[in-house]
């Protein structure tokens, strides 16, 4: 054998050995992959072949106390495309059509032109199986018989786009009542979690736990049967039952809105209705409300503020457009949203004014500073010490403080009914620093109430050390410290129910989808803060504040013994927008009814009423709305009216419903059904009643129904007359003038029911010379616009405050 041959054999052997070694390494690697690292590489393969979809848990419903749904989940869909599947389908086409254009045109036809470019752009990501086009499309969106979802499903089916266009079922939060109770119910964010209100406080109960679905797909995005496909079911959230009553909430929302509009309140209005014997919240409102189904849109009240800010700061681009990219614009917009969403009676501390005299009175009676509220030998003297005729005055530590009026000599009960500052300065100094501060704490003002709502604010009160003589005097009549609305109604509610301080709450039960109770909350007693005897005494006096014609008289409701205390406070130290705080007012009222067995305690506040709209006192910007609230909710709460003889003589009657009646039937049977009512004025030539004025359910002065029935809406709109000016006229004259013009009359105000012959109109609901449909109702006001609830004039501002 030659040398060359040997070299060849050696080289071949080496190559063979190398190949063998490589083969052995490969075999060993395969062995490792298939044995020791099998799970790791299998997972990688599965991840490349599978997709994971979240199965959203259904969020629990929120109900009112009577089972009405306040918040629920509504079926919606996410529209998704598969760029990879669209590209593959396009490669298989034998015609000249472009697959991306087909999909883009179909989707934009149903969702809007702007979605054409979105589909085209997202289709460029050809390595992706999923790209989102639009989220949360409601199942019932669109017009006509077919919803957008129906049309999309039809489009997918007709063009066989099953693996290219997907509708992924999900859910969105839906609020059936829109803006009703918006601040107490709250809303959810894009991730489905609660951001405000009950939605946030009880998010851990409402939310549930999401599941997931793992689906196997081939390289082109087509679903295929695969052993590793799995499904983990979602666990739905629990349903929450609240203490809210929808009907009471509606009434409170309406009155807050009316006060906002009628007073021009620059810092909103708000209110609370509480159940006396439990502390349960029946209603809570802030106006303006916002649409819970569209919470990220500023309501007009705030949009106007934003527009004014833009003008004031000249936030415009060179083209004259609003500069929405400006930092100033963005900061202001965010601040306005934060204010719009804020639950005012929970978060905002305010100066309570004379409504706090209820609490000072309870302290004085409990401490025996006053033993006989009506004693003639224990008098408080309210006279002027500086010669002014505007009001009485009293000195404390060298500071002269004034009352809103000269009350001369009066007993304690008269001092409370007159809302006399001089009386309460004397009471505060009589109670003393130690007892006053201790009682202030005992009534819950130095702590949060612990209500089950987010963002509860704190009081701002003098420290014990900082509570000097002047601070004690001013605090006694409700000035120069701040408390929240929820703190105040909780404390006053204790006086209403006999002395028990309850922790306020909004949710009493939560149940899972199987009906099992997972959470329950009973009324929580915090402590006893006053004796039953003291509370009974104050309930009687506060009812006299209304029925006796004192500061609460504009809360008067015929047939019901409403008790109330109004208040007007100066916002000392809260200067803003170029207005001094002492020139800004808060008008408020605390009320409960019926006084002998209360079923509701209510708080109402109007923050910064605009003087251009009229009086800024609590007796005019708060009390009349409390009156309307009580007038509506007391009958609803099954409280039977008990009328006095004078009330019976001046009662109003409810207008029947005639819509749908035929003219023939009306002419035959009207006198039979309504013998004491004049036959109505019929306008039009139709055979049936299409509309009526006044509307069915309206209350008008008894015996004065001026009924107009219309056979068409166009005839109704054409039959108008100008409203006369009847302000300053007697009740009888004003009513007759309006009747003669073709209108109906409803009335509001204690003086009308007390003595109709002496009652004088102080205002009317429709401005003079307004064109109004004949038969419409004009409300006449017999309120007394005075300053009985004002805190008077003083300038001292305390220091050394503590947040409590």
């Amino acid at each position: 054998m030659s040398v060359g041959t040997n070299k060849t054999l050696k080289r071949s052997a080496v190559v063979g050995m190398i190949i063998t070694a490589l083969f052995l390494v490969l075999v060993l690697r395969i062995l490792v992959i298939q044995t020791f690292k099998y799970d790791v590489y299998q997972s990688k393969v599965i991840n490349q072949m599978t997709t994971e979809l979240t199965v959203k848990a259904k969020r629990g419903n929120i109900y009112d106390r009577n089972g009405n749904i306040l918040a629920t989940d509504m079926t919606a869909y996410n529209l998704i495309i598969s760029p990879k599947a669209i590209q593959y389908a396009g490669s298989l086409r034998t015609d000249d059509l472009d697959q991306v254009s087909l999909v883009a045109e179909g989707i934009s036809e149903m969702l809007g032109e702007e979605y054409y470019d979105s589909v085209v752009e997202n289709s460029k990501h050809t390595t992706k199986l999923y790209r989102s086009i639009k989220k949360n499309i409601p199942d019932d969106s669109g017009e006509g018989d077919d919803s957008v979802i129906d049309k999309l499903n039809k489009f997918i089916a007709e063009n066989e786009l099953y693996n290219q266009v997907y509708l992924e079922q999900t859910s969105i939060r839906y609020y059936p009542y829109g803006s009703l109770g918006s601040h107490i119910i709250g809303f959810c964010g894009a991730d489905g979690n609660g951001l405000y209100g009950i939605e946030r406080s009880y998010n851990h109960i409402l939310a549930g736990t999401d599941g997931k679905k793992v689906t196997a797909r081939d390289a082109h995005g087509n679903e295929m049967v695969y052993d590793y496909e799995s499904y983990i079911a979602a666990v739905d959230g629990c349903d929450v039952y609240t203490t809210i009553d929808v009907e009471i909430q509606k009434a409170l929302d309406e009155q807050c809105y009316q006060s906002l509009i009628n007073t021009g309140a620059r810092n909103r209005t708000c209110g609370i209705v509480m159940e006396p014997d439990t502390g349960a919240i029946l209603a809570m409102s802030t106006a303006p409300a916002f649409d819970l189904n569209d919470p990220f849109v500023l309501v007009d009240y705030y949009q106007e503020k934003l527009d004014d800010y833009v003008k004031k700061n000249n936030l415009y681009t060179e083209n004259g457009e609003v500069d929405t990219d400006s930092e100033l614009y963005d900061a202001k917009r965010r601040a306005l949203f934060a204010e719009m969403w804020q639950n005012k009676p929970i978060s905002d501390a305010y100066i309570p004014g004379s409504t706090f005299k209820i609490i000072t009175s309870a302290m004085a009676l409990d401490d025996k500073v006053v033993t006989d509220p009506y004693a003639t030998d224990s008098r408080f003297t309210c006279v002027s010490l500086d010669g002014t005729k505007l009001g009485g005055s009293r000195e404390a530590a060298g500071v002269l403080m004034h009352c809103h009026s000269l009350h001369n000599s009066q007993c304690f009960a008269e001092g409370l009914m007159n809302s006399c500052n001089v009386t309460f300065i004397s009471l505060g100094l009589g109670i003393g620093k130690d007892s006053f501060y201790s009682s202030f704490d005992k009534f819950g003002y130095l702590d949060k109430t612990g209500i089950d709502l987010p963002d509860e604010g704190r009081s701002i009160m003098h420290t014990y050390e900082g509570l000097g003589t002047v601070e004690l005097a001013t605090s006694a009549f409700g000035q120069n410290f701040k408390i929240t609305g929820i703190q105040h109604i909780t404390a006053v509610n204790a006086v209403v129910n006999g002395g028990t301080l309850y922790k306020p709450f909004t949710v009493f039960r939560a149940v899972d989808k199987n009906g099992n109770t997972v959470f329950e909350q009973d009324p929580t007693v915090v402590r006893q803060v006053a004796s039953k005897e003291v509370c009974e005494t104050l309930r009687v006096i506060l009812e006299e504040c209304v029925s006796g014609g004192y500061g609460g008289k504009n809360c008067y409701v015929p047939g019901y013994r409403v008790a109330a205390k109004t208040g007007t406070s100066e916002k000392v130290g809260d200067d803003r927008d170029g207005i001094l705080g002492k020139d800004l007012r808060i008008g408020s009222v605390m009320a409960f009814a019926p006084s002998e067995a209360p079923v509701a305690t209510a708080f109402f506040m109007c923050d910064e009423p605009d003087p251009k709209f009229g009086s800024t006192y609590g007796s005019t910007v708060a009390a009349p709305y409390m009156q309307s609230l009580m007038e509506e909710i007391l009958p609803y709460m099954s409280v039977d009216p008990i009328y006095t003889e004078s009330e019976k003589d001046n009662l109003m009657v409810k207008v029947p419903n005639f819509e749908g009646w035929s003219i023939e039937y009306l002419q035959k049977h009207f006198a039979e059904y309504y013998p004491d009512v004049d036959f109505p004025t019929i306008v039009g030539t139709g055979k049936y009643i299409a509309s009526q004025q006044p509307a069915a359910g309206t209350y008008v002065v008894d015996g004065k129904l001026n009924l107009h029935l219309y056979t068409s809406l166009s005839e109704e709109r054409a039959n108008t007359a100008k409203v006369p000016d009847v302000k300053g006229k007697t009740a009888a004259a004003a009513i007759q003038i309006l009747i003669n013009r073709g209108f109906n009359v409803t009335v509001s105000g204690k003086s009308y029911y007390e003595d109709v012959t002496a009652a004088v109109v102080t205002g009317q609901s429709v401005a003079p010379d307004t064109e109004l449909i004949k038969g419409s109702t004009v409300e006449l006001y017999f309120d007394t616009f005075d300053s009985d609830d004002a805190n008077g004039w003083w300038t001292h501002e305390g220091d050394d405050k503590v947040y409590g």
Side-chain angles (χ1 to χ4, degrees), residues 183 253 256-257 260 267-270 285-289 301-302:
H183 294 87
D253 277 8
C256 285
Y257 172 76
L260 181 78
N267 198 21
R268 298 168 291 166
T269 60
C270 65
S285 180
T286 298
Y301 180 90
Y302 289 105

Side-chain angles (χ1 to χ4, degrees), residues 360-495:
T360 303
S361 297
M363 294 179 189
L365 290 168
D366 240 13
D367 285 359
K368 302 293 189 285
V369 175
V370 174
T371 54
D372 183 353
Y374 295 93
T376 57
D377 58 348
S378 177
R379 312 289 287 180
F380 297 86
T381 303
C382 176
V383 295
S384 175
L385 299 181
D386 59 358
T388 178
K389 296 180 180 179
L390 294 176
S393 52
R394 192 186 192 295
E395 187 179 293
V399 176
L400 191 66
M401 288 171 262
H402 293 86
C403 188
H404 59 85
S405 184
L406 287 166
H407 296 115
N408 297 309
S409 179
Q410 57 193 339
C411 66
F412 164 78
E414 292 168 330
L416 176 55
M417 290 185 283
N418 285 322
S419 197
C420 176
N421 287 347
V422 169
T423 297
F424 279 85
I425 292 169
S426 299
L427 289 175
L429 298 179
I431 294 167
K433 172 180 176 176
D434 290 348
S435 184
F436 186 92
Y437 207 82
S438 174
S439 296
F440 190 87
D441 186 19
K442 183 172 66 174
F443 273 96
Y445 290 112
L446 293 182
D447 296 306
K448 292 183 178 181
T449 65
I451 188 173
D452 51 348
L453 287 173
D455 304 322
E456 183 179 2
R458 292 180 177 273
S459 61
I460 304 173
M461 179 57 174
H462 312 282
T463 62
Y464 173 78
E465 294 75 17
L467 191 68
T469 302
V470 173
E471 289 77 21
L472 178 59
T474 56
S475 295
F477 60 80
Q479 189 70 40
N480 214 28
F481 66 90
K482 292 182 178 181
I483 54 180
T484 64
I486 190 63
Q487 284 179 316
H488 201 21
I489 192 174
T490 300
V492 171
N493 189 65
V495 175

Side-chain angles (χ1 to χ4, degrees), residues 45-294:
V45 171
I46 290 173
N47 286 340
Q48 292 171 2
M49 296 175 61
T50 62
T51 56
E52 184 175 296
L53 295 176
T54 298
V55 179
K56 292 289 292 181
K58 187 178 185 298
R59 191 173 176 86
N61 292 338
I62 299 176
Y63 295 92
D64 85 335
R65 67 196 292 121
N66 299 313
N68 297 299
I69 294 179
L70 302 176
T72 188
D73 272 8
M74 185 171 71
T75 300
Y77 292 86
N78 297 329
L79 179 62
I80 298 166
I81 64 170
S82 173
K84 193 168 187 178
I86 291 172
Q87 182 194 45
Y88 179 68
S91 69
L92 299 179
R93 294 195 75 98
T94 57
D95 53 27
D96 295 330
L97 292 176
D98 177 63
Q99 190 70 8
V100 173
S101 296
L102 171 69
V103 174
E105 286 175 6
I107 289 175
S108 63
E109 205 172 290
M110 284 162 276
L111 297 184
E113 293 180 4
E114 65 272 21
Y115 285 93
Y116 184 93
D117 291 339
S118 176
V119 173
V120 171
E121 286 301 312
N122 279 285
S123 295
K124 293 176 181 178
H125 298 269
T126 54
T127 61
K128 303 292 184 181
L129 287 175
Y130 290 99
R131 296 290 289 184
S132 176
I133 300 301
K134 185 175 182 179
K135 292 183 177 181
N136 297 329
I137 307 172
D139 196 12
D140 62 348
S141 61
E143 299 178 357
D145 296 333
D146 292 336
S147 69
V148 169
I149 300 302
D150 292 333
K151 292 174 181 177
L152 284 169
N153 277 321
K154 188 176 180 181
F155 168 68
I156 292 168
E158 288 178 349
N159 294 278
E160 298 182 353
L161 301 173
Y162 300 109
N163 295 314
Q164 301 165 56
V165 181
Y166 304 93
L167 282 170
E168 178 187 63
Q169 185 172 323
T170 183
S171 59
I172 55 176
R173 204 62 168 160
Y174 175 64
Y175 302 90
Y177 293 97
S179 63
L180 180 78
S182 54
H183 294 87
I184 186 172
I185 297 170
F187 60 94
C188 296
D191 60 359
N193 288 313
L195 293 180
Y196 284 85
I198 291 169
E199 289 277 29
R200 176 175 156 191
S201 292
Y202 288 90
N203 188 67
H204 61 292
I205 291 176
L206 290 161
T209 305
D210 291 344
K212 63 181 178 179
K213 177 183 178 183
V214 180
T215 306
R217 296 185 180 275
D218 63 19
H220 304 298
N222 299 306
E223 284 193 21
M224 64 186 204
V225 179
Y226 193 73
D227 289 341
Y228 294 97
E229 181 169 299
S230 64
Y231 180 84
I232 300 174
V235 179
D236 290 341
C238 298
D239 294 334
V240 161
Y241 288 83
T242 72
T243 59
I244 301 168
D245 188 303
V246 160
E247 297 305 319
I248 298 175
Q249 185 68 51
K250 286 179 184 176
L252 182 60
D253 277 8
E254 175 63 20
Q255 294 312 315
C256 285
Y257 172 76
Q258 289 299 331
S259 177
L260 181 78
I261 298 303
N262 296 335
T263 67
R266 290 172 290 206
N267 198 21
R268 298 168 291 166
T269 60
C270 65
I272 303 173
V273 181
M274 179 180 281
E275 193 171 58
D277 293 328
T278 65
I281 302 299
L282 301 177
M284 182 181 291
S285 180
T286 298
F290 58 91
D291 187 354
L292 289 171
N293 294 309
D294 203 4

Side-chain angles (χ1 to χ4, degrees), residues 669-679:
H669 299 286
F670 186 87
E672 174 187 344
Y673 293 148
Y674 305 103
D676 298 325
V677 179
D678 292 339
F679 191 79

